[in-house]
Structures are given as structure tokens and as C-alpha cells.
Amino acid sequence: MKLIRKWRNMVVDRIFSGIQPTGTPHLGNYLGAIQNWVNLQEECSSVLYSIMDMHSLTMPKEPAVLRQNILDTTAAILACGIDPKKCFLFRQSLMKRASQNSEGTVGLLTYPVLQAADILLYKSTHVPVGEDQVLHLELAQDIAQHFNKKYGEFFPVPKAILSTTKKIKSLRDPAVKMSKSDPQKLATVSIADSPDEIVLKFRKAVTDFTSEVTYDPASRPGVSNLVSIHAAVTGLSIKEVLHQATGLDTAHYKMVVAESVIQKFAPIRNEIKKLQEDKSYLIKVLEDGAEKAKELAAPIYQEIRRLVGFQ
Ligand SMILES: Nc1ncnc2c1ncn2[C@@H]1O[C@H](COP(=O)(O)OC(=O)[C@@H](N)Cc2c[nH]c3ccccc23)[C@@H](O)[C@H]1O
């Protein structure tokens, strides 16, 4: 039965999360968020996922590039297993009347406020995200609490749902997170990378001078990042993957991890390619999702206006 309102002992009424349309997601997006999104849509009755096109304007974008990126991101998350029958999948801008200033600074200042609005507009209770979004979520919590104090209990205070791999690090600098905007090409693994690209990126991954494979994120961040990725893509525990790595040096281990990533994403990569060819299907999914999300948000928005005194 899908109407389970509990997830790992939490009462979950409404899941909401989002991703910027930067094209095809990377390993960090997948392991930090999208994998959890797929699981949550199976277990929770009210689930919304949004392509955050307005947020992506904090970095100026050519309209044609943005349009294409929206479709590529949609194809990728559908290929990862997001099912529009089990969740509402829609574009953020189809829900908002005001337009976002695209000129850098204002966008950056208003970014977390817009994010809070996204979450609160649906009275979301849980937000599956990577660790880098927790501060933004705290602002949404503060706003919800402040509103409730002033106008009476209305918004649930949204909680983060973090995956076990909360933060995947750059393969070139394990001190920073893996990020789409990293200028170093070998730092970030896209989930649609070819097997050759994946092997190259892992071969060049920065580790340290110890050849043994151990897990100690504080003193050995590089190799520990590989262990985390390996565990996450195979579904094994850290202990189990360390056991498998017994006797391997880091150079060999990098190839084991690369192979596990190739295996995991091969079917997803094929599915992305197929979906990218069906542009009208992608557009339809997003439009249908927006209709359903609007229906959900409209009475909440009306109620907010009434409580505040706008009507
Ligand atoms: N290296 C990494 N390791 C682990 N997780 C990571 C890594 N990089 C990214 N993530 C997670 O991927 C999701 C999408 O990332 P975005 O940067 O598009 O995510 C963002 O830029 C958001 N501001 C989009 C957004 C706008 N409004 C929202 C409302 C709720 C939730 C999210 C949003 C996120 O969950 C992010 O935590």
C-alpha cells in the first residue's frame, strides 16, 4: 500500500524537493538527493519534485540553453526512476507570478527566500536534499515558525531528509563538494558520462600517499569519498565495501569504483538518451505536473492571503 505516511519512523505528510536545471545531474545530485526521491515516491502519498528554473537564473543563462537544460534535467530524473504517476513533477516558474531578477546579486540575496516559498507553498513537511541545502532549509523553518507565531499555526515546520551520502566530494579536491559549476572537468561525474569518461575521472581522482583503502573522512577525505561512492552505488555498507577492497591498493580500487559507477548508470544513461528524443512527452509531463501542483497550492495560497489580511 502506498499510503504509508511514515518513513524511517517519521510522520511524512508531504514531500517536496527540487533541482536546478543544469542539464544532466551529477553523482552528488543523484546520491545526495535523487536516489532518495525515487524511494520516497514509492512510500509517501503526496510527493512533489520541481525543476528550479528560476533559481538557476542566479547565474545568467541564454534562454535557449535554459530551455534545453530544463528538458535534459527532466529526461535525466525520469530516467533515474522518478515516475510522474507517483509524484507531481513540474517547473518552478510555472507556479510563480513574479519574475526573478536575473542579475546576480539580487538573485543571490533572494535565493533562499524563494526556496522557502517553494517549500511552504505546498505546506511541505519533509524535504529530501543534500547537506549543502540544510542552511537554506533552516531559513524556511524560521519563516514558517515566524508566520505561525504571528498568524496562528498554519505551516508545518519542514524537516530535511538526508541520504547516507549527504555530501559527495569533488574528485579533484576532496575538500569541496562535487558541483556542476566546478571549472575542473575531471572533478564532476555526470550520470550520463560514458564508461571511458568515468574511468578517466576516477583514475585521476585525488587521494593521498597511502596505498591501503580505508575509511576515515577527516584524515583521508579522497579515498573515503571513493568508499562512500562505492557503497552508495552498490547498496553495500561501508564495512562491506572495505572488506571487498582488502588487499587492493588505491590505484586498483579506483577502477573497482569506476566499474561500479558504470554498472549503476548504464541503464539510466540509455534511458536518458531515449527520453531526450521525446521532447513533447517531457513537455507534457511538466505541464501536467504543474496543473496538479497548482491545484494543490491554490487553496493554501488563498488561505495565506486571508490570514495576512490581503483579502
Ligand atoms: N556534492 C553533492 N553531494 C550530495 N548532494 C548534492 C551534491 N550536490 C548537490 N547535491 C544535492 O542535489 C540536489 C540538487 O542540487 P541543486 O544544486 O540543483 O539544488 C539547489 O540548487 C536547490 N537550491 C534547489 C532548490 C530550490 N528550491 C528548493 C526547495 C527545496 C529543495 C531544493 C530546492 C540538492 O538536494 C543538493 O543538496
Side-chain angles (χ1 to χ4, degrees):
M1 187 175 78
K2 198 190 162 194
L3 280 177
I4 295 171
R5 286 182 49 211
K6 281 201 149 192
W7 196 73
R8 299 192 185 158
N9 289 328
M10 294 181 285
V11 174
V12 175
D13 280 322
R14 179 156 300 142
I15 296 284
F16 179 89
S17 198
I19 184 166
Q20 288 196 37
T22 36
T24 308
H26 56 71
L27 210 51
N29 297 135
Y30 182 84
L31 297 176
I34 300 170
Q35 200 170 35
N36 253 353
W37 295 8
V38 175
N39 295 334
L40 286 161
Q41 71 176 358
E42 302 297 334
E43 300 177 34
C44 304
S45 55
S46 182
V47 179
L48 293 92
Y49 298 131
S50 187
I51 310 286
M52 298 304 186
D53 47 2
M54 292 169 82
H55 272 124
S56 75
L57 286 188
T58 40
M59 299 293 283
K61 297 251 165 25
E62 284 301 319
V65 172
L66 179 59
R67 246 175 247 127
Q68 187 57 48
N69 280 351
I70 290 168
L71 295 182
D72 286 347
T73 305
T74 307
I77 63 175
L78 291 172
C80 289
I82 293 299
D83 181 348
K85 291 193 210 74
K86 296 178 180 161
C87 65
F88 299 173
L89 178 63
F90 60 99
R91 274 169 50 191
Q92 178 188 33
S93 64
L94 289 178
M95 300 299 300
K96 298 259 162 46
R97 290 178 199 181
S99 66
Q100 172 91 332
N101 186 319
S102 63
E103 295 302 325
T105 18
V106 175
L108 280 177
L109 278 175
T110 56
Y111 188 109
V113 178
L114 179 60
Q115 182 153 343
D118 289 323
I119 296 167
L120 298 177
L121 182 60
Y122 309 96
K123 289 187 148 185
S124 313
T125 60
H126 290 81
V127 186
V129 281
E131 199 175 57
D132 60 320
Q133 298 298 311
V134 168
L135 268 180
H136 289 162
L137 191 60
E138 281 174 8
L139 180 71
Q141 293 168 340
D142 285 352
I143 293 175
Q145 275 159 342
H146 186 77
F147 187 98
N148 290 348
K149 213 163 138 203
K150 197 158 166 61
Y151 300 107
E153 277 309 306
F154 183 73
F155 289 119
V157 177
K159 294 187 184 61
I161 293 181
L162 295 175
S163 68
T164 33
T165 38
K166 310 183 249 304
K167 195 178 192 175
I168 298 297
K169 310 285 172 45
S170 150
L171 293 189
R172 297 299 299 160
D173 176 3
V176 302
K177 68 167 183 175
M178 184 176 284
S179 155
K180 195 58 185 261
S181 54
D182 198 315
Q184 299 195 67
K185 281 210 164 56
L186 297 177
T188 305
V189 178
S190 157
I191 63 169
D193 274 350
S194 68
D196 284 351
E197 286 168 311
I198 295 173
V199 165
L200 176 69
K201 289 176 182 179
F202 279 96
R203 184 182 308 129
K204 300 265 178 182
V206 170
T207 48
D208 52 31
F209 296 111
T210 308
S211 68
E212 201 190 340
V213 178
T214 60
Y215 184 73
D216 184 352
S219 67
R220 301 194 66 200
V223 74
S224 303
N225 189 39
L226 299 181
V227 173
S228 295
I229 292 171
H230 188 195
V233 297
T234 54
L236 297 171
S237 67
I238 299 284
K239 208 172 149 197
E240 283 164 333
V241 294
L242 284 177
H243 182 69
Q244 281 189 6
T246 315
L248 292 180
D249 59 21
T250 43
H252 284 101
Y253 184 60
K254 284 176 183 178
M255 292 304 97
V256 172
V257 180
E259 191 49 42
S260 70
V261 171
I262 292 169
Q263 292 293 327
K264 171 79 187 176
F265 292 106
I268 292 178
R269 185 164 170 251
N270 288 338
E271 191 61 21
I272 292 175
K273 282 194 197 134
K274 260 195 247 157
L275 285 163
Q276 277 174 333
E277 278 159 27
D278 201 347
K279 198 168 158 182
S280 52
Y281 170 71
L282 299 174
I283 292 172
K284 171 123 179 48
V285 165
L286 293 176
E287 282 175 358
D288 289 353
E291 276 315 304
K292 292 187 246 168
K294 269 183 198 157
E295 255 171 51
L296 197 70
I300 300 174
Y301 184 61
Q302 283 311 316
E303 188 59 9
I304 295 167
R305 289 176 60 86
R306 196 189 61 75
L307 287 170
V308 171
F310 287 164
Q311 61 186 37

